[in-house]
């Protein structure tokens, strides 16, 4: 039905010999019109005025909030009155079966302040281009099987020079598979398959391995640190309204930040794709805010700046969305923070990924299923809950929860065979560390055989000393992570 309407309009206007470059397929430009401004934004939230304020003291227009693909034009027409042009539009829309939601003419559109505010809601960048005199306005809609099309028109001008501000919102399906969260990077599988975005290999190589970019974006700035502290904002609405001191998570780990830019796509569309991708990858959403819930303009700008690699979102704080997600892994929680804002027809994404390196000992101790998943998908799993006396191979009593977890796994998975590999830090002589790591691995095997009844043939102990670090030995935190026992899945012998 919408396609027939488009053809009706094309037939009416094409008899006037009009060039159709940049026009909307539904409504072509009037005779002799010049395009002053043009904007296309995919999947945008748009507030279409459908009435006037209750009194002249306010600018609170009743609006109908619609979401779809937004196309806006500003046309200049010479040699025609605003009345003649308005009546032509109204007649054509009515003939095509559109329902009039609201219209006003001249003084009925309010005082000068209200007229300017009304037109600004349709005009690109709220710039009326001097067209507030002799104003006319209408809002209309048309329903079909494909969805509802909404049209807003503001016409104004004098002395034979008229400007038309035209907005068309087409129905648009949700497109929520354009960002990919690659949980194989975390050595775990996504719960729901996500469609592969159309991103080149060269572009993907500059993204974070975990989170792909929104297709069509370009990188304005990027920052990476192997080991860094980062205060990740997680403020609630009430806290935001108090000022610019946001509640934060003080995280330490590998830090990667991106500043992406994208033309012709709304901040809403980008945000909903990030939200869907994180949900599909089973991230826990720690905090999110949308539009006014992200605070006033100063607060939204400050919020985005804390995530941005440039510490500045510039003009991209309008129509803001923000969310923080967390996913637990055996090597430590991974956090993703995303701030999305727009300016004119450009949307910017501030993205931060923090991979913390603290092992979640309790998680390992109480969750054999996650331990099995790590072995199945990565082939190995580090166990930090097994403790030894300093420079000794004696397994300490506080190791029992971790041993219980491994023992339960081996009991339930009767075909599973493992290498039990001991690791040390790089302090002390290499020969000593190799012998110590081997002795510790053998001690763990002995406890599994003696305390849990595991067949010794299923386990093979080995020690590699300092040869396979997982962190930097120059720091105490790094050395602590390197002192570990690792389980490696063996092929069935």
């Amino acid at each position: 039905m919408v396609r027939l309407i488009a053809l009706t309009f094309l037939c009416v206007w094409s008899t006037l010999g009009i060039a159709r470059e940049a026009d909307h397929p539904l409504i072509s430009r009037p005779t002799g019109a010049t395009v002053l401004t043009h904007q296309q934004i995919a999947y945008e939230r748009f507030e279409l005025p459908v009435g006037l304020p209750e009194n002249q003291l306010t600018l609170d227009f009743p609006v109908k909030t619609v979401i779809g693909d937004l196309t806006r034009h500003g046309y200049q027409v010479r040699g025609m009155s605003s009345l003649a042009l308005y009546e032509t539009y109204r007649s054509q829309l009515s003939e095509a079966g559109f329902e009039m939601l609201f219209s006003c003419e001249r003084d009925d559109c309010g005082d000068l302040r209200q007229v300017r505010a009304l037109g600004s809601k349709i005009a690109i960048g709220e710039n009326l281009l001097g067209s507030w005199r002799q104003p006319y306005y209408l809002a209309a809609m048309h329903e079909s099987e494909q969805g509802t099309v909404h049209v807003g028109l503001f016409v104004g001008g004098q002395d034979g020079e008229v400007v038309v501000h035209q907005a068309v919102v087409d129905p648009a399906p949700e497109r929520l598979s354009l960002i990919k969260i690659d949980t194989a990077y975390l050595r775990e599988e996504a719960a729901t398959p996500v469609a592969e975005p159309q991103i080149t290999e060269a572009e993907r190589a500059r993204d974070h391995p975990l989170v792909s970019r929104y297709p069509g974006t370009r990188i304005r700035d990027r920052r990476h640190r192997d080991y860094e502290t980062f205060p990740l904002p997680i403020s609630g609405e009430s806290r935001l309204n108090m000022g610019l001191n946001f509640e934060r998570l003080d995280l330490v780990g590998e830090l990667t930040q991106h500043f992406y830019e994208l033309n012709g796509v709304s901040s809403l569309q980008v945000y909903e794709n990030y939200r869907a991708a994180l949900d599909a990858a089973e991230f826990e959403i720690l905090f999110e805010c949308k539009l006014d819930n992200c605070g006033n303009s100063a607060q939204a700008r400050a919020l985005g700046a804390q995530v941005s690699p440039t510490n500045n979102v510039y003009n991209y704080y309008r129509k803001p969305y923000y969310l923080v997600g967390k996913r637990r892994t055996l090597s430590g929680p991974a956090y993703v923070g995303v701030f999305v804002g727009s300016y004119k027809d450009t949307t910017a994404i501030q993205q931060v990924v923090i991979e913390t390196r603290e092992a979640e000992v309790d998680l390992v101790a109480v969750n054999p299923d996650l331990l099995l998943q790590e072995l199945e998908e990565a082939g190995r799993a580090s166990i930090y809950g097994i403790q030894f006396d300093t420079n000794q191979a004696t397994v300490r009593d506080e190791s029992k929860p971790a041993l219980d977890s491994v023992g339960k796994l081996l009991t339930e998975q009767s075909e599973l065979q493992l290498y039990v590999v001991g690791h040390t830090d790089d302090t002390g002589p290499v020969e000593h560390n190799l012998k110590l790591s081997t002795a510790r691995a053998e001690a763990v095997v002995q406890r599994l055989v003696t305390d849990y009844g595991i067949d010794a043939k299923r386990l093979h102990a080995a020690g590699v000393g300092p040869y396979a670090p997982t962190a930097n030995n120059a720091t105490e935190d790094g050395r602590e992570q390197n002192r570990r026992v690792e389980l490696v899945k063996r092929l069935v012998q």
Side-chain angles (χ1 to χ4, degrees), residues 198-242:
Q198 298 301 310
I199 300 170
T200 67
E201 291 184 8
E203 289 175 332
R204 190 68 183 96
R206 298 194 66 200
D207 297 336
H208 191 281
L210 176 63
V211 188
S212 73
R213 72 180 68 191
Y214 191 101
T217 58
R218 56 191 178 275
I219 295 177
R220 176 167 175 167
D221 213 314
R222 182 182 184 275
R223 179 177 182 240
H224 177 80
R225 297 288 186 273
D226 287 334
Y227 196 68
E228 181 69 279
T229 60
F230 190 83
L232 185 63
I234 53 167
S235 288
E237 181 180 357
S238 59
R239 186 66 179 270
L240 281 168
N241 290 334
M242 294 172 61

Side-chain angles (χ1 to χ4, degrees), residues 369-384:
D369 291 337
L370 186 57
L371 183 57
L372 175 63
Q373 185 174 331
E374 192 85 353
L375 287 169
E376 291 291 339
E377 294 168 2
R380 58 190 174 91
S382 294
I383 308 298
Y384 292 92

Side-chain angles (χ1 to χ4, degrees), residues 134-198:
Q134 300 178 6
Y136 295 85
Y137 174 81
L138 68 82
M141 60 176 280
H142 190 284
E143 295 183 355
S144 71
E145 294 180 357
Q146 290 76 29
T148 304
V149 179
H150 289 85
V151 175
L153 292 165
F154 181 88
V155 185
Q158 63 180 10
D159 300 328
E161 187 172 290
V162 178
V163 175
V164 181
H165 297 283
Q166 172 185 299
V168 180
V169 183
D170 292 305
E174 290 184 330
R175 296 181 281 267
L176 301 181
S177 60
L178 300 175
I179 292 174
K180 179 182 174 69
I181 300 293
D182 187 359
T183 51
Y185 174 77
L186 297 176
R187 300 185 305 198
E188 298 180 38
E189 255 184 64
T192 305
V194 180
E196 186 70 33
Q198 298 301 310

